[in-house]
Amino acid sequence: MKHFFKIGIYLFVSLFVSFSLQAQPPAPAKKIPEFQFYQFNGKPFGRSQLAKDKLLFIVFFDVTCDHCQHAFQQINAHYASFKNVGMYLVSLDSEAAMANFLTRFAPNLIGKPNVTLLRDVNNEFIQRFTPRKYPSMFLYNARQQLLLYYDEPEKFPNFLREIPPVQKSK
């Protein structure tokens, strides 16, 4: 009987640990993985094309997401802080939907040289970057290593604290 009790305890603990590990969401990518997204002109865009020697701010969003709208309103309001940061806005949505979204919620980002809009045509962002939900905001250093990850718009001010102030030209 004692033997069966030990086996029962062992099975219970094994199942509990197994389910606990499965329930935890994956951690966001600690280093920018290889990827292939597409620019609005249809040309592929990969990791090697990311800005060099600067912080990289990557936002994965959906145009129908309320939280994404709030996040982009904050990003829009603080664009001046991001002038020296490479910004990459990635979505599964169509070009037209993305353009309309930016016009409504982040017009300050439109046409800026450091802002790149990318479409995830092959649905690889989730698998490679392992975001937990929309919007997922990643800040990587120049060596493409993760500095910050948040998926709550209320946490956006944390990114502002990590970005050095923009030097005003004389």
Side-chain angles (χ1 to χ4, degrees), residues 32-163:
I32 296 178
E34 289 293 334
F35 63 84
Q36 184 172 316
F37 303 137
Y38 290 86
Q39 300 173 70
F40 278 17
N41 62 10
K43 291 183 180 177
F45 186 96
R47 186 175 80 178
S48 66
Q49 293 169 280
L50 293 169
K52 310 287 187 262
D53 300 325
K54 59 171 55 177
L55 292 174
L56 306 167
F57 184 60
I58 300 173
V59 183
F60 185 56
F61 71 102
D62 180 279
V63 300
T64 63
C65 162
D66 289 345
H67 294 300
C68 298
Q69 295 168 6
H70 296 298
F72 272 83
Q73 288 170 333
Q74 290 184 61
I75 295 167
N76 184 68
H78 296 281
Y79 171 73
S81 298
F82 284 86
K83 283 186 177 180
N84 294 330
V85 175
M87 294 181 73
Y88 302 91
L89 313 177
V90 184
S91 179
L92 298 167
D93 297 302
S94 70
E95 292 175 17
M98 289 173 70
N100 182 51
F101 179 88
L102 285 182
T103 299
R104 291 181 61 208
F105 301 105
N108 290 338
L109 306 183
I110 297 172
K112 297 299 192 273
N114 66 316
V115 177
T116 304
L117 295 171
L118 298 168
R119 292 190 60 226
D120 181 12
V121 175
N122 299 319
N123 297 320
E124 55 181 89
F125 193 97
I126 293 171
Q127 179 184 354
R128 296 180 186 270
F129 284 83
T130 60
R132 290 187 291 251
K133 60 184 179 176
Y134 291 120
S136 284
M137 299 175 283
F138 301 78
L139 184 65
Y140 289 94
N141 64 21
R143 293 182 312 276
Q144 301 186 356
Q145 296 167 327
L146 185 65
L147 297 174
L148 277 180
Y149 169 83
Y150 287 108
D151 49 27
E152 299 288 340
E154 309 81 55
K155 303 285 186 170
F156 176 75
N158 293 317
F159 291 101
L160 296 173
R161 287 191 279 277
E162 290 294 320
I163 297 171

Side-chain angles (χ1 to χ4, degrees), residues 9-24:
I9 294 291
Y10 174 76
L11 287 174
F12 175 77
V13 170
S14 296
L15 287 172
F16 179 77
V17 170
S18 176
F19 285 123
S20 295
L21 291 175
Q22 290 176 3
Q24 295 179 11

